[in-house]
Amino acid sequence: MVEQMQTSGKAGTNHYASASLLFGIFSIFFPFFTLIFGFTGILFFWRAKKEIAVSGEAGTRRAYAGLICSVLGLLMLFSMVSLGGIFRMIGIQLNIFY
């Protein structure tokens, strides 16, 4: 029974696609490391896409979800930095930490 499951021919999920999703989620929830996690998630997406095309493994949707999360995390970071700069230029100071 175990031998039949191992030789069934269906390839598993690509590990780079899973890593892309993981780093994409991290880029959203850990803002201090967003640049590292976001760009790493994008790099893993490209690696997963190449490997999936060659090997026929599953994980295309997972890789694209990782790309979307990575880009979303990076956009959130850049918008926070941009808004902070705009607020400083017009003289609004946000006193978040009292």
Side-chain angles (χ1 to χ4, degrees):
M1 181 75 171
V2 175
E3 294 177 70
Q4 288 178 342
M5 292 175 70
Q6 290 176 351
T7 61
S8 65
K10 174 119 170 99
T13 304
N14 187 285
H15 295 293
Y16 287 113
S18 299
S20 174
L21 180 60
L22 181 72
F23 280 110
I25 291 171
F26 281 174
S27 73
I28 293 172
F29 290 109
F30 297 110
F32 293 110
F33 303 107
T34 297
L35 283 176
I36 296 168
F37 289 147
F39 286 121
T40 305
I42 292 170
L43 290 175
F44 277 132
F45 163 76
W46 288 113
R47 180 71 187 241
K49 194 169 178 194
K50 287 180 184 178
E51 280 196 5
I52 289 170
V54 171
S55 67
E57 291 177 314
T60 304
R61 290 181 181 176
R62 191 173 293 184
Y64 276 106
L67 175 67
I68 290 168
C69 289
S70 296
V71 170
L72 181 66
L74 289 171
L75 286 175
M76 287 171 44
L77 174 73
F78 292 135
S79 65
M80 285 188 288
V81 169
S82 299
L83 285 176
I86 290 170
F87 288 158
R88 183 168 281 272
M89 280 192 312
I90 61 174
I92 298 173
Q93 292 184 353
L94 299 175
N95 294 325
I96 298 172
F97 304 107
Y98 288 104

